[in-house]
Amino acid sequence: MAILWLAAATVAGLVLRHEIDEVFDSALQEVAQRVLPLAYAEVLARDSDEPQRVPPVGPHREYITYVVRDAAGTVLLQSSDADRSAIPKDLTHGFATTATLRTYTEAAVQGTILVTTAEDLAHRGAAVRKAVLALLWPLAALVPVAVAGVWLAVWLTLRPVLEFSSGLEARGRGNLSAVSIEGLPDEILPLADAVNALIARLRSALEAERGFTANSAHELRTPIAAALAQTQRLVAELADEPRRERARAIEQSLRRLSRLSEKLLQLAKAEGGGLVSEHPAPLGPVLRLIVEELDRQFDCSERLDVAIPPDGGPALDLDPDAFAVLARNLVENAVRHGDPDGSVRIRLAADRFEVTNGGPAVPADRLSALTRPFERGPTRAAGSGLGLAIAAAICEGAGLTLDLASPVPGGSDGFRATVRFARATGSGRARS
Amino acid sequence: MRILLVEDDMVLGQAVRDQLVADGHSVDWTTRVASASDAVRAAIFDLVLLDLMLPDGRGLDFLKGRRVGGDVTPVVILTARDQISDRIAGLDAGADDYMVKPFDLKELSARVRAVGRRYSGNPNPLVTHGDLEIDLAGRTVRRGGKVVALTQREWALFEAFVERPNALLSKTQLEERLYSFDAEIESNTIEVYIARLRKKVGAETIETVRGMGYRLGSPGRRP
């Protein structure tokens, strides 16, 4: 762009120079032709042999000097500054250029009188330079303005496109709302509409899947609940002990089945995506409810050391149900497998959620295996072996990082699970 | 108490009804929102047990409708949906408590007792026993004016003694009180909890009757 401008300016400069030369040359010629009759009359009327100087009218710098000579080269008449220019002799009729001068010679009276007008080339150069400069500086000033203007115009046009594309990237993490097409150039609109249509289809597919998970959970839970309740009634109503024992055995099996199906449903949901909600909500109230439920279940209120920020904690775009499952599994894991008399420290902060429990350290080589389904640490407590796998799946699906540390940093034993809310870049793809 | 059970699963509903009847309540059982609406118009209930997913509508809408109409009858939600958002929605709609299926019938009994007591209008829910002040509605115990923190299960046991101050409670009866979905009741569980309770509310508050069980002891001396 700027190069084109410069080339155009160069061409303009060259044309200008040519034009200026022409103008100046015609001035030289004009002066010579004007001076000639005057000089002729002067020479005829004169009686001295001294060359005569035509005094200047006022003090000024002569740009054009002239000299009138006869055929022998004797100077008959010259302008006031003519000496300084040292106009060469033996010039033939017409234009000539010496190292410093541009001259024009006109002869008259059969070559007996020669008028030569001369102009200093330096003056001509200066004139051209000034003209070119006058041509260039507005250009130089205009080029940055023009470049800035073009850039601004392009940016304004492309901004909606960039916004659309970043909005699209953000949709990668399970947020499947339509992308705004406001201000998009008409050429891109059909593409944007097609993308939004695709997102809508994806969304309905995902919602159907979620609905299916919720319904299948419901369909599975109700018969288990019915069987368990009936069995418990049976235990209560049977009078003879051996049969009661048998009914109790069924009851225990049903509970195990219920726990396992619960965990498998959670794992399926965690791996199914849809862990990001479109409306960020504070996690504190959810965590409070989960702690209350776990206390009911394990009677562990005295072991739980909970700190939730008074403002309700960070508002994350993590789906509250997903966070509930995540928190429940991490705390349940600590309560079940940690030191039974030790406390479980639960911390919700702006950047992380942390659960720490006492108990023997988990060897480093076992630590990474704990997030695989049905892996169990050094514990004698009952459990499905799915809790940490579910937590890891939720973190991966929502683009969070889960760190397991044992022993607890700065200690010699214990176990700590940390969920960091700062999203790892480029992670958290919506998996379907 | 007079309880309205709204549950469309016949097998579960029957077991829940039998459990509540065995606890000494009178139970009306319906399987539809429409008949539940008729029932609450026809009679006054002390408690409603409400399933959220019913064939002819959402239990939540029924609950909201009741609350908007100014009905303050306690409601415990029974839901098969485990999402925390559903539970929060239920509590926001005016439910007093919720239980996620599958639930333990003993736990159901305990919750019904607790909710019922909260609304029983008992003019004197405060029981004084020696230097203990027991608030059955607020589920708190003060000893010499200081609050004693009891865990859920400790409270469940202690409540059994306070409710029937003269009764002799067998180990089996006490085990019934310790509902828990996950906990295995082991042979020494009751002994462990009695020991913990004595530490908190005074050793002489709970007496051991050798070979028979436990009962509330004579009031401790006031300090």
Side-chain angles (χ1 to χ4, degrees):
Chain A
M1 183 81 184
I3 288 171
L4 283 177
W5 279 77
L6 279 176
T10 310
V11 169
L14 289 172
V15 168
L16 184 77
R17 184 173 178 155
H18 176 75
E19 290 298 324
I20 282 177
D21 275 348
E22 268 188 3
V23 169
F24 277 51
D25 283 351
S26 89
L28 275 181
Q29 195 176 1
E30 195 73 19
V31 169
Q33 288 168 354
R34 286 275 165 282
V35 166
L36 192 56
L38 294 174
Y40 182 57
E42 182 80 21
V43 169
L44 284 186
R46 211 171 52 190
D47 46 8
S48 111
D49 281 345
E50 279 300 299
Q52 194 188 345
R53 245 170 235 285
V54 177
V57 178
H60 73 293
R61 177 131 206 282
E62 282 187 345
Y63 289 122
I64 294 181
T65 56
Y66 61 88
V67 63
V68 182
R69 300 185 172 110
D70 60 13
T74 316
V75 175
L76 304 174
L77 186 72
Q78 60 179 15
S79 65
S80 56
D81 268 355
D83 285 349
R84 235 183 302 165
S85 314
I87 299 170
K89 301 173 180 179
D90 321 320
L91 287 167
T92 50
H93 175 84
F95 289 102
T97 307
T98 69
T100 55
L101 295 177
R102 173 87 169 156
T103 62
Y104 176 77
T105 307
E106 185 82 44
V109 201
Q110 288 84 47
T112 53
I113 292 182
L114 289 163
V115 176
T116 305
T117 48
E119 187 192 7
D120 196 340
L121 279 178
H123 168 241
R124 222 176 243 224
V128 171
R129 263 200 305 282
K130 276 184 190 155
V132 169
L133 267 181
L135 201 68
L136 271 181
W137 83 252
L139 262 190
L142 274 174
V143 164
V145 172
V147 166
V150 167
W151 185 84
L152 189 72
V154 169
W155 183 74
L156 281 177
T157 316
L158 282 185
R159 197 176 51 164
V161 180
L162 290 176
E163 273 171 6
F164 181 79
S165 121
S166 63
L168 208 54
E169 266 167 31
R171 294 298 181 280
R173 286 206 1 267
N175 170 3
L176 291 176
S177 54
V179 187
S180 160
I181 55 170
E182 204 181 324
L184 277 184
D186 291 348
E187 297 82 356
I188 299 180
L189 273 180
L191 177 67
D193 287 337
V195 166
N196 275 338
L198 182 66
I199 287 179
R201 278 207 296 279
L202 195 59
R203 180 196 187 114
S204 66
L206 198 68
E207 271 168 7
E209 192 192 357
R210 264 193 240 177
F212 173 77
T213 312
N215 281 331
S216 56
H218 175 257
E219 295 304 325
L220 197 60
R221 273 202 197 93
T222 302
I224 292 177
L228 182 67
Q230 288 286 356
T231 311
Q232 288 187 322
R233 285 311 307 156
L234 194 63
V235 171
E237 288 165 10
L238 280 173
D240 85 279
E241 197 49 38
R243 288 186 187 174
R244 276 171 72 124
E245 275 310 309
R246 187 150 296 198
R248 279 206 187 95
I250 298 173
E251 185 187 351
Q252 289 309 323
S253 277
L254 284 170
R255 288 184 172 187
R256 271 206 300 280
L257 173 65
S258 146
R259 278 200 299 268
L260 186 59
S261 63
E262 194 66 35
K263 293 292 180 202
L264 285 171
L265 282 169
Q266 287 180 359
L267 188 59
K269 205 177 152 194
E271 291 183 339
L275 303 173
V276 176
S277 86
E278 288 161 23
H279 316 288
L283 303 177
V286 175
L287 182 58
R288 244 177 240 117
L289 211 53
I290 289 294
V291 165
E292 202 178 294
E293 284 184 11
L294 284 164
D295 175 29
R296 274 181 178 175
Q297 192 176 334
F298 294 102
D299 196 40
C300 54
S301 62
E302 294 186 331
R303 288 179 59 197
L304 297 183
D305 161 18
V306 189
I308 297 172
D311 61 355
L316 231 63
D317 57 357
L318 179 63
D319 180 63
D321 295 319
F323 177 69
V325 172
L326 173 67
R328 171 177 263 282
N329 278 292
L330 290 180
V331 177
E332 199 177 317
N333 185 66
V335 169
R336 271 179 193 275
H337 307 307
D339 171 9
D341 301 318
S343 73
V344 172
R345 214 166 149 273
I346 302 164
R347 291 285 175 275
L348 179 65
D351 61 336
R352 66 188 199 289
F353 170 63
E354 201 173 73
V355 181
T356 314
N357 60 269
V362 182
D365 56 320
R366 298 293 324 281
L367 205 54
S368 56
L370 285 181
T371 53
R372 290 207 292 265
F374 304 111
E375 282 285 344
R376 299 165 57 78
T379 176
R380 298 201 322 279
S384 62
L386 288 172
L388 286 177
I390 291 165
I394 288 175
C395 287
E396 192 190 340
L400 308 170
T401 34
L402 173 67
D403 289 334
L404 303 181
S406 185
V408 172
S412 58
D413 58 0
F415 180 86
R416 170 176 292 171
T418 309
V419 176
R420 293 184 202 287
F421 297 148
R423 298 190 181 284
T425 47
S427 67
R429 330 170 285 295
R431 302 185 305 166
S432 50
Chain B
M1 288 197 289
R2 183 158 187 192
I3 297 174
L4 175 64
L5 168 65
V6 190
E7 166 62 63
D8 63 313
D9 187 275
M10 301 308 283
V11 183
L12 177 62
Q14 186 203 33
V16 169
R17 185 195 56 196
D18 293 353
Q19 174 81 13
L20 294 172
V21 168
D23 287 342
H25 303 291
S26 79
V27 182
D28 295 51
W29 175 21
T30 74
T31 58
R32 297 283 184 276
V33 171
S35 41
S37 299
D38 294 343
V40 289
R41 271 197 293 273
I44 293 178
F45 292 92
D46 301 308
L47 174 68
V48 180
L49 291 177
L50 179 67
D51 182 18
L52 280 190
M53 288 178 82
L54 295 160
D56 64 337
R58 296 177 60 222
L60 211 54
D61 298 335
F62 168 74
L63 171 59
K64 279 181 190 158
R66 298 303 307 160
R67 289 291 183 252
V68 168
D71 180 1
V72 292
T73 308
V75 173
V76 175
I77 286 175
L78 310 176
T79 176
R81 298 174 62 109
D82 69 327
Q83 279 109 323
I84 206 94
S85 43
D86 286 342
R87 289 173 230 171
I88 291 172
L91 293 173
D92 286 350
D96 295 76
D97 205 347
Y98 61 85
M99 297 186 73
V100 180
K101 297 175 192 178
F103 47 80
D104 193 297
L105 288 182
K106 298 193 190 77
E107 184 175 2
L108 177 75
S109 298
R111 299 271 187 106
V112 167
R113 253 201 322 276
V115 171
R117 192 178 298 109
R118 228 177 289 159
Y119 290 88
S120 63
N122 180 346
N124 185 17
L126 283 175
V127 178
T128 311
H129 184 82
D131 61 346
L132 297 173
E133 278 179 30
I134 303 135
D135 178 353
L136 288 169
R139 310 190 101 192
T140 54
V141 181
R142 285 168 181 275
R143 188 179 179 194
K146 286 200 189 70
V147 174
V148 179
L150 295 187
T151 69
Q152 306 253 5
R153 286 180 207 171
E154 288 164 0
W155 174 262
L157 278 189
F158 189 53
E159 188 186 47
F161 290 110
V162 176
E163 279 176 350
R164 302 169 63 195
N166 303 318
L168 176 65
L169 300 170
S170 71
K171 198 170 146 180
T172 313
Q173 278 173 305
L174 291 173
E175 281 174 358
E176 294 283 307
R177 284 284 180 137
L178 288 192
Y179 62 83
S180 161
F181 203 63
D182 265 300
E184 299 271 335
I185 303 278
E186 293 176 16
S187 57
N188 67 341
T189 301
I190 294 300
E191 283 83 348
V192 169
Y193 275 101
I194 294 288
R196 285 196 201 167
L197 267 176
R198 282 176 173 158
K199 232 180 267 175
K200 288 184 177 181
V201 297
E204 62 286 338
T205 306
I206 298 168
E207 280 179 8
T208 308
V209 183
R210 200 162 295 286
M212 304 280 284
Y214 304 90
R215 75 168 158 227
L216 199 62
S218 47
R221 282 180 302 281
R222 289 172 182 279

